[in-house]
């Protein structure tokens, strides 16, 4: 998509936009905002993550965020399949990490524009959902619910 955007810009403008792209990319990678490198990287990650999760809603948001995480861990532990396709889980985990690598490489952009760069975390959310699908035995969960209704 990124390449398509710049190719389209070149076609529409009738000139090469490569110099602009190069300058823009350098700024996104190494722009300076007055922070130490570690604080810059940490800020890029935490700002994007907190924009996705409900932690911006104060104590209640933190509570809801932890409840969501605990619910996922509970389901993965209690209703685990007997055989898990580890290769699929590994592939999904690699895909889940891609937005974080992007945030670290383009840390200036991720730090300054976190209010819209956090949307790339949908890739991580989807990958975690697929990992849950590989780990959780949904049939067992459904069976447990039927037993509870009958009792």
């Amino acid at each position: 998509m990124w390449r398509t955007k710049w190719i389209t810009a070149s076609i529409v403008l009738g000139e090469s936009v490569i110099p602009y792209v190069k300058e823009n990319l350098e700024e996104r990678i190494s722009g300076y905002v007055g922070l130490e490198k570690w604080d810059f990287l940490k800020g890029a990650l935490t700002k994007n993550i907190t924009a996705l999760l409900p932690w911006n809603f104060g104590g209640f948001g933190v509570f809801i965020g932890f409840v969501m995480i605990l619910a996922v861990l509970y389901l993965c532990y209690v209703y685990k399949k007997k055989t898990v396709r580890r290769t699929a889980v590994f592939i999904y985990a690699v895909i889940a990490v891609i937005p974080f690598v992007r945030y670290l490489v383009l840390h200036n952009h991720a730090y300054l524009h976190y209010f819209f760069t956090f949307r790339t975390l949908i890739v991580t959310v989807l990958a975690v959902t697929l990992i849950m699908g590989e780990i959780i035995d949904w049939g067992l969960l459904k069976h447990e619910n039927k037993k509870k209704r009958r009792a």
Side-chain angles (χ1 to χ4, degrees):
M1 290 302 294
W2 186 78
R3 286 183 187 152
T4 304
K5 174 176 84 171
W6 294 114
I7 291 170
T8 304
S10 292
I11 293 169
V12 169
L13 295 173
E15 62 184 65
S16 175
V17 295
I18 298 300
Y20 174 77
V21 172
K22 184 179 175 194
E23 177 185 320
N24 207 328
L25 190 58
E26 287 172 358
E27 181 183 334
R28 301 283 191 246
I29 292 173
S30 61
Y32 182 70
V33 294
L35 293 173
E36 295 294 325
K37 186 75 163 183
W38 174 248
D39 292 332
F40 207 2
L41 293 172
K42 186 175 74 169
L45 291 174
T46 57
K47 283 180 150 199
N48 281 279
I49 292 169
T50 56
L52 174 70
L53 296 173
W55 293 330
N56 287 335
F57 297 112
F60 183 69
V62 171
F63 173 75
I64 295 298
F66 281 120
V67 167
M68 289 179 351
I69 292 168
L70 288 175
V72 167
L73 293 175
Y74 173 80
L75 288 171
C76 288
Y77 180 74
V78 173
Y79 297 103
K80 184 177 178 187
K81 288 180 182 175
K82 290 184 172 137
T83 57
V84 176
R85 296 184 321 163
R86 293 176 190 256
T87 305
V89 171
F90 176 76
I91 290 169
Y92 296 146
V94 168
I95 291 170
V97 172
I98 291 171
F100 298 103
V101 172
R102 182 179 184 269
Y103 295 151
L104 292 174
V105 171
L106 301 173
H107 55 274
N108 180 293
H109 187 58
Y111 184 86
L112 295 174
H113 302 293
Y114 71 92
F115 50 89
F116 67 84
T117 58
F118 83 94
R119 295 177 294 176
T120 59
L121 287 173
I122 192 67
V123 171
T124 303
V125 171
L126 178 60
V128 168
T129 303
L130 292 170
I131 289 170
M132 288 173 56
E134 291 293 332
I135 294 175
I136 298 170
D137 186 349
W138 296 104
L140 180 61
L141 181 62
K142 188 188 278 188
H143 181 69
E144 289 286 327
N145 285 334
K146 282 183 181 179
K147 284 197 313 190
K148 287 180 183 177
R149 285 188 209 146
R150 289 183 188 157

